[in-house]
Amino acid sequence: MHSDDDTRVPAWRVAGEIPVPFSDALSAWAVAAREALIETARVYGSLITQAELGFQVQSQTGIKAGAPVRKWIADLLGAVTDGQDDDEPLLASLCVLLDQTAGDAYAHALGVAGRSVPADLDSDAAHVRFRCYEFFGATIPAGARPSLAPRVAEKRAARGPARPPTAAKSSAKAAKSAAPGTKPAATAEPKPKKAKAKPKADPKLEESKPKLCPNCFTVLSTSGECGFCY
């Protein structure tokens, strides 16, 4: 959040509690903030939280804000950005939230600098911070490259790569996506094949078989007597 007038965030000098217009307080804070951010940039890998920066500028200027830092930190980083030279990388990239993300205040600073807000704000801030370390004389290790803030990198690594759905999850997903009122088709398991039953003898065929003589196995006549053995 950033303020558009002097009444939204009251401020006063600690000595005597003299009220100070917010625009005047912001100008004084911006000078102190620039010094604190440059000091941060001179140590490779250093960051400063919004709360720390807000505390420092109030302590150094003797001007206290009558609202939490989160209410005016975007204005402060915007004022620092507005006062930077064109060849300087944005010092606002060094100021982060407690979880070390860049936050809306950095997005506001980008707008003040005339830049569009990127899809990955933290990655953009990482690249700009690296340029700050280079520009303001930090000792950079050989082979070092722009990197996300430690907590941001740790959080993203914990997510891990996307895993393909298991068969059980795929079945559940298919069940959810089925049309209302319909039952998802069950995945039928192959049934064991039954042994083929032996064909039963046709009784008509059995009755039509000719009778044989038990002695010579010759077909008997209709009278039942064997013509050879009689």
Side-chain angles (χ1 to χ4, degrees):
M1 178 182 295
H2 61 281
S3 305
D4 297 324
D5 53 54
D6 289 349
T7 60
R8 188 173 299 180
V9 179
W12 63 88
R13 293 191 181 278
V14 176
E17 297 187 355
I18 302 172
V20 177
F22 179 71
S23 56
D24 293 345
L26 189 62
S27 297
W29 289 336
V31 174
R34 175 179 169 83
E35 294 176 358
L37 290 168
I38 290 177
E39 183 179 351
T40 301
R42 287 174 177 161
V43 180
Y44 177 73
S46 293
L47 300 168
I48 186 169
T49 66
Q50 295 178 0
E52 289 171 337
L53 184 62
F55 176 79
Q56 285 192 29
V57 299
Q58 291 178 89
S59 298
Q60 291 179 14
T61 61
I63 301 175
K64 185 173 178 61
V69 174
R70 60 183 174 81
K71 294 285 187 178
W72 47 272
I73 188 65
D75 289 301
L76 178 59
L77 294 181
V80 172
T81 301
D82 190 50
Q84 287 195 239
D85 295 335
D86 293 339
D87 61 335
E88 291 181 342
L90 296 187
L91 288 165
S93 62
L94 297 157
C95 186
V96 297
L97 291 163
L98 288 175
D99 62 359
Q100 296 186 345
T101 56
D104 293 339
Y106 177 62
H108 175 68
L110 289 174
V112 172
R115 284 191 51 195
S116 58
V117 178
D120 191 338
L121 200 62
D122 291 308
S123 179
D124 184 88
H127 283 79
V128 178
R129 275 197 299 270
F130 191 82
R131 289 173 52 205
C132 285
Y133 298 140
E134 291 179 322
F135 188 91
F136 292 101
T139 301
I140 301 177
R145 295 181 179 179
S147 57
L148 294 169
R151 291 182 185 174
V152 176
E154 182 180 355
K155 186 176 181 180
R156 292 193 182 186
R159 295 175 187 171
R163 296 180 179 178
T166 60
K169 291 183 178 179
S170 298
S171 300
K173 187 175 181 181
K176 289 183 179 179
S177 61
T182 61
K183 295 183 178 180
T187 53
E189 296 182 358
K191 296 181 178 180
K193 294 183 179 180
K194 294 182 178 180
K196 292 184 179 180
K198 295 182 179 179
K200 295 182 179 180
D202 192 341
K204 293 182 180 179
L205 293 176
E206 290 183 354
E207 292 178 358
S208 62
K209 288 181 179 180
K211 293 182 179 181
L212 304 178
C213 173
N215 296 319
C216 65
F217 301 102
T218 303
V219 177
L220 295 177
S221 63
T222 56
S223 64
E225 295 180 352
C226 180
F228 294 94
C229 298
Y230 180 71

